[in-house]
Amino acid sequence: MSPMKRISYILILCLSILFVQAKDFRFALFTDLHITHSTPAVEDLQRAVDQVNATSGIDFVLVSGDITEEGDLASLQKAKSILDKLKVTYYITSGNHETKWSESGCTDFNKVFGSDRFRFEHNGYLFLGFNSGPVMRMADGHVAPQDISWLKQELTKAGTGKPVILVTHYPLQDGDVDNWYEVTDAVRPFHIKVVLGGHYHSNRQLFYDGIPGLLNRSTLRAKADAGGYSIYQVTNDSIVVSEQTIGGEPKRWAGVSLTNTYYTADNSTYKRPDFSVNKNYPQVKMGWSAATGKGIYSSPVVYNNSVYVGDDLGELSCYTLKEGKLKWTFKSNARIVGTSDAGNGVVVFGSADASIYGVDAKSGQLRWKMETPKAVLGAVTIQKGIAYVGGSSGSFYAIDVKTGRLHWEFTGVKGYIETKPLVYGDKVIFGAWDNNLYALEKATGRKVWSWDAGLTRMHFSPAAVWPVAAAGNVYVTAPDRVMSAIDLQSGQTVWRTKQSVVRETIGLSADSKQIYSKTMQDSLVCYATGPEVKQLWACNVGFGYEHAPSMPVEKEGVVFGSTRSGLLFAVEAKSGKLLWKYKVGNSLISTVVPLSKNRCLFTSSDGTVGLLEAGTK
């Protein structure tokens, strides 16, 4: 070997050794902090921060969701005040407790921490963290279409050779994230080394369509004497994770090889959603569908042969009813969670940007805008030129549809509102995340009564269900899995039943003699309205475990329903006979809008707006 070649060889060898050494680093991971104002969770996090600060060689900290218990601003700020005491940089993403129970529509998380995504590089590794939902609706975890697009863009920029570590809250697998396969397919062409997360408050080693995954313990002490967190050691050939209890010694529990090949580009051996049910009902077809590329958590609204849909990027879009052609889009400044309503030539909707909008139904031009103290997540109900909607500031509003003038405001709500209010007779009825169902005088906004059934947990509130009324009663279901009838005039409980395990769904027949609800396992049930509990029928639809707040809706003798897993179904209202079911995707379908006994509009959290048509076999 010539002297020049020898020098070149030695130089390359030295650089290789330096590169290998540079890859060695350590970081900590916190997850499932569940902070409220002043609880042991606060102390557990503070101790974790103190111990990281006292440990040498920790380069940074990852925080992978469920930062708070209820997603409220005060708890987020409390968590930040503690995390900010870390002597190293931390990178954070949200969990389901920030995205489901959030009075701000999840916007406070971004205001406090900057974003629910993060991207950074360290010692040759790319780290990407992102939200895994669900957003404001009880459903499986879900990675929004716009977040999948972001992942693809960042990975493409990095190239296929750069090692990548992904950070989520939920595990990316069936049963936890409804569109796990879209995520794994999007990232598998790249050099993914491991996916880190939490959610289950325990250490678990998993594989997501072949991609290694590591779930981590919570910072909470639970029944132990002290809490803890995880410490990761990255070397030239492995990623090793240890559990670090407060005051104890780290205990290694898992590792991922950096030299093994865990997965390939081939995904054919992995489970995918099963659409075979559609072959059983060939009479059901898609009339039209539009893929928006944006998460949708509100229901469609039909008005004058147009369809209006609000989405996760804050856009209200108008489509033609006949063919689903986009006519116009109006953009607010934050996500639209609540379903809009239309009347008097105006579409009214609330936005998480703390405003209520009135938009011209034909042109999409702004007619008026009313600013509020906090986000407006409630659905809108319009009756006789007045729009009724609740916000997150403790207020419920009645607004003139044409002018945007405030008709009245009720300020006695103690929690935020997401439901669609019921306007019935001389009352407006709605629930809130404060355990209460409220009845207000329609003309003045004066409170007539409030009802809480002795509930003691905010999470049991009748807040997501859209109440119905008949036979002198108001009917609701709630997360406590109870169906309740409340006297319309007095607000007193008429009856409560656990005969069926129901949750946050209710519907009313056209003749007001029957109410419908999904159970949490397979069935749609029907009860008689009136002073006594009387089940009329139960239909085993076979949709499996179910907890999505999508209301059953009757049209022309057919009850339409939808689920968390992309299934729509129809049941004969009189007999409870299953007519058909059809799977349009694998993600949450909001309350559908029937147009006739064999046609219905739907929206999905995967960003689809569509029209389903059922003919005859």
Side-chain angles (χ1 to χ4, degrees):
M1 183 182 293
S2 68
M4 185 60 69
K5 286 185 176 179
R6 185 178 297 109
I7 292 172
S8 298
Y9 175 78
I10 293 171
L11 180 60
I12 291 171
L13 181 61
C14 290
L15 288 174
S16 299
I17 292 171
L18 286 172
F19 177 72
V20 168
Q21 289 176 341
K23 286 178 114 176
D24 293 355
F25 61 95
R26 297 169 75 209
F27 63 88
L29 186 144
F30 297 170
T31 190
D32 296 279
L33 286 54
H34 291 277
I35 296 297
T36 54
H37 302 297
S38 181
T39 65
V42 172
E43 184 179 2
D44 290 340
L45 177 58
Q46 184 62 64
R47 288 177 173 178
V49 168
D50 291 342
Q51 185 152 309
V52 167
N53 286 341
T55 303
S56 62
I58 302 294
D59 290 4
F60 56 86
V61 175
L62 302 178
V63 190
S64 66
D66 275 7
I67 315 305
T68 66
E69 177 65 17
E70 297 178 358
D72 59 293
L73 178 59
S75 296
L76 289 168
Q77 291 173 330
K78 182 68 175 180
K80 184 177 187 297
S81 70
I82 301 172
L83 290 168
D84 283 351
K85 296 175 183 177
L86 283 164
K87 294 179 180 179
V88 296
T89 302
Y90 67 90
Y91 304 90
I92 191 167
T93 189
S94 56
N96 56 295
H97 276 253
E98 282 78 58
T99 60
K100 170 61 185 89
W101 294 284
S102 170
E103 62 188 6
S104 72
C106 315
T107 58
D108 279 343
F109 188 92
N110 291 353
K111 291 174 183 175
V112 172
F113 292 107
S115 177
D116 59 2
R117 298 173 182 163
F118 61 76
R119 178 203 183 279
F120 71 96
E121 295 189 34
H122 187 83
N123 283 26
Y125 282 78
L126 173 64
F127 289 78
L128 297 174
F130 54 95
N131 170 32
S132 53
V135 174
M136 299 308 299
R137 301 289 183 250
M138 183 58 70
D140 288 346
H142 178 78
V143 181
Q146 62 268 24
D147 286 330
I148 295 177
S149 296
W150 173 80
L151 267 177
K152 290 179 179 178
Q153 292 169 3
E154 294 297 335
L155 290 169
T156 300
K157 285 190 295 185
T160 56
K162 182 177 285 294
V164 181
I165 294 177
L166 301 179
V167 184
T168 67
H169 179 66
Y170 277 107
L172 296 177
Q173 61 182 1
D174 182 24
D176 288 299
V177 173
D178 57 28
N179 62 339
W180 84 93
Y181 56 96
E182 292 182 326
V183 184
T184 59
D185 283 352
V187 305
R188 68 188 310 109
F190 301 92
H191 204 31
I192 310 301
K193 291 303 182 183
V194 68
V195 183
L196 308 181
H199 187 60
Y200 284 113
H201 296 219
S202 61
N203 299 322
R204 305 187 188 187
Q205 188 163 19
L206 303 169
F207 288 91
Y208 309 139
D209 293 348
I211 302 171
L214 294 171
L215 299 187
N216 298 267
R217 64 151 298 154
S218 166
T219 56
L220 300 174
R221 72 190 72 175
K223 296 181 180 180
D225 294 331
Y229 53 92
S230 298
I231 292 181
Y232 282 82
Q233 177 81 36
V234 181
T235 69
N236 64 317
D237 65 359
S238 62
I239 299 175
V240 175
V241 57
S242 299
E243 179 177 355
Q244 174 67 70
T245 55
I246 303 302
E249 293 296 321
K251 295 180 180 179
R252 173 175 172 169
W253 63 269
V256 173
S257 171
L258 296 179
T259 58
N260 289 352
T261 299
Y262 290 99
Y263 67 96
T264 66
D266 180 21
N267 66 359
S268 60
T269 61
Y270 300 115
K271 180 181 178 180
R272 290 295 182 263
D274 182 4
F275 291 86
S276 61
V277 64
N278 296 349
K279 296 178 181 179
N280 299 329
Y281 302 93
Q283 75 273 29
V284 185
K285 304 290 184 182
M286 190 72 73
W288 58 259
S289 66
T292 68
K294 300 167 286 188
I296 300 173
Y297 307 103
S298 63
S299 293
V301 170
V302 178
Y303 180 71
N304 288 348
N305 294 315
S306 293
V307 181
Y308 302 91
V309 177
D311 64 44
D312 200 31
L313 296 186
E315 295 179 343
L316 179 76
S317 297
C318 175
Y319 301 85
T320 58
L321 177 59
K322 185 176 181 180
E323 60 276 289
K325 181 181 178 181
L326 181 64
K327 295 171 66 176
W328 54 255
T329 295
F330 174 88
K331 185 168 178 57
S332 69
N333 296 315
R335 62 168 42 101
I336 301 169
V337 175
T339 300
S340 60
D341 202 356
N344 300 92
V346 180
V347 186
V348 180
F349 69 92
S351 170
D353 69 4
S355 297
I356 302 168
Y357 292 85
V359 176
D360 188 275
K362 287 185 177 180
S363 67
Q365 297 298 307
L366 180 66
R367 288 274 200 95
W368 53 262
K369 175 183 176 181
M370 189 181 93
E371 296 182 352
T372 64
K374 292 185 178 180
V376 180
L377 311 177
V380 180
T381 297
I382 292 177
Q383 188 187 85
K384 295 183 179 179
I386 301 295
Y388 302 91
V389 60
S392 296
S393 61
S395 289
F396 185 90
Y397 307 97
I399 306 165
D400 186 276
V401 169
K402 289 185 177 180
T403 65
R405 180 182 63 84
L406 183 64
H407 187 54
W408 52 254
E409 176 183 359
F410 173 71
T411 59
V413 185
K414 298 180 180 66
Y416 70 92
I417 301 167
E418 71 165 270
T419 186
K420 182 177 176 64
L422 169 67
V423 182
Y424 185 81
D426 60 353
K427 294 179 179 62
V428 183
I429 300 161
F430 61 92
W433 286 106
D434 61 4
N435 293 335
N436 287 295
L437 187 76
Y438 293 88
L440 308 182
E441 191 175 78
K442 185 172 68 172
T444 65
R446 180 185 65 85
K447 187 172 82 170
V448 180
W449 51 259
S450 61
W451 173 91
D452 69 3
L455 299 174
T456 57
R457 292 185 60 194
M458 178 274 283
H459 293 151
F460 285 167
S461 301
V465 66
W466 296 2
V468 298
N473 297 327
V474 180
Y475 301 91
V476 295
T477 54
D480 63 353
R481 307 179 184 187
V482 178
M483 180 183 292
S484 300
I486 302 110
D487 184 87
L488 182 64
Q489 299 305 320
S490 67
Q492 297 299 307
T493 300
V494 177
W495 52 257
R496 281 167 60 78
T497 179
K498 291 185 177 181
Q499 183 175 338
S500 302
V501 182
V502 295
R503 178 180 180 135
E504 298 181 294
T505 66
I506 202 82
L508 181 68
S509 63
D511 62 8
S512 297
K513 294 182 179 180
Q514 299 181 163
I515 50 176
Y516 313 104
S517 186
K518 288 183 298 182
T519 70
M520 294 184 68
Q521 189 68 46
D522 287 322
S523 297
L524 181 75
V525 292
C526 174
Y527 284 76
T529 57
E532 297 178 352
V533 178
K534 183 180 180 182
Q535 186 181 109
L536 300 178
W537 52 256
C539 174
N540 186 348
V541 179
F543 46 65
Y545 176 73
E546 174 61 16
H547 60 319
S550 304
M551 310 305 130
V553 185
E554 182 188 325
K555 184 78 172 183
E556 297 177 356
V558 175
V559 186
F560 294 82
S562 57
T563 72
R564 67 186 175 96
S565 56
L567 187 76
L568 289 89
F569 60 87
V571 174
E572 189 175 75
K574 184 177 181 180
S575 66
K577 175 186 176 182
L578 177 65
L579 299 175
W580 55 260
K581 48 185 176 178
Y582 191 88
K583 191 172 176 65
V584 298
N586 207 54
S587 300
L588 169 68
I589 306 293
S590 294
T591 301
V592 301
V593 177
L595 304 177
S596 67
K597 66 180 180 180
N598 54 18
R599 299 169 73 226
C600 73
L601 285 163
F602 70 91
T603 53
S604 172
S605 62
D606 68 8
T608 303
V609 183
L611 173 65
L612 206 62
E613 299 178 336
T616 56
K617 290 185 179 180

